[in-house]
């Protein structure tokens, strides 16, 4: 049965072979049909990447 709920997830991933610097990052929540749209964007901003440094973003919808 379908329900209407708020689900929280921690997402953790590693990227390799990316040159350090500033990047524009956009994160989307996918809809049930697995499509993305600007209405489902949960983050849009600049992220600075440095070798060996962790980046933590907190997003809410």
């Amino acid at each position: 049965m379908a329900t209407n709920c708020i689900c929280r997830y921690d997402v953790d991933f590693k990227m390799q072979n990316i040159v350090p610097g500033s990047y524009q990052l956009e994160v989307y929540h996918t809809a049930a049909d697995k499509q993305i749209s600007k209405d489902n964007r949960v983050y849009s901003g600049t992220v600075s990447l440095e070798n060996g440094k962790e980046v933590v973003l907190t997003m809410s919808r």
Side-chain angles (χ1 to χ4, degrees):
M1 176 185 305
T3 60
N4 193 7
C5 69
I6 297 173
C7 303
R8 295 179 183 205
Y9 297 95
D10 288 334
V11 177
D12 185 18
F13 61 92
K14 293 182 181 184
M15 297 184 292
Q16 296 178 344
N17 302 322
I18 295 179
V19 177
S22 293
Y23 292 87
Q24 179 65 27
L25 175 68
E26 292 187 359
V27 178
Y28 294 85
H29 176 270
T30 57
D33 61 3
K34 302 198 188 228
Q35 299 298 310
I36 60 170
S37 72
K38 291 198 184 244
D39 293 337
N40 292 340
R41 185 171 52 201
V42 293
Y43 181 84
S44 178
T46 302
V47 176
S48 295
L49 302 179
E50 298 178 36
N51 284 331
K53 296 259 182 154
E54 183 177 273
V55 175
V56 176
L57 298 172
T58 302
M59 298 165 244
S60 61
R61 177 152 169 92

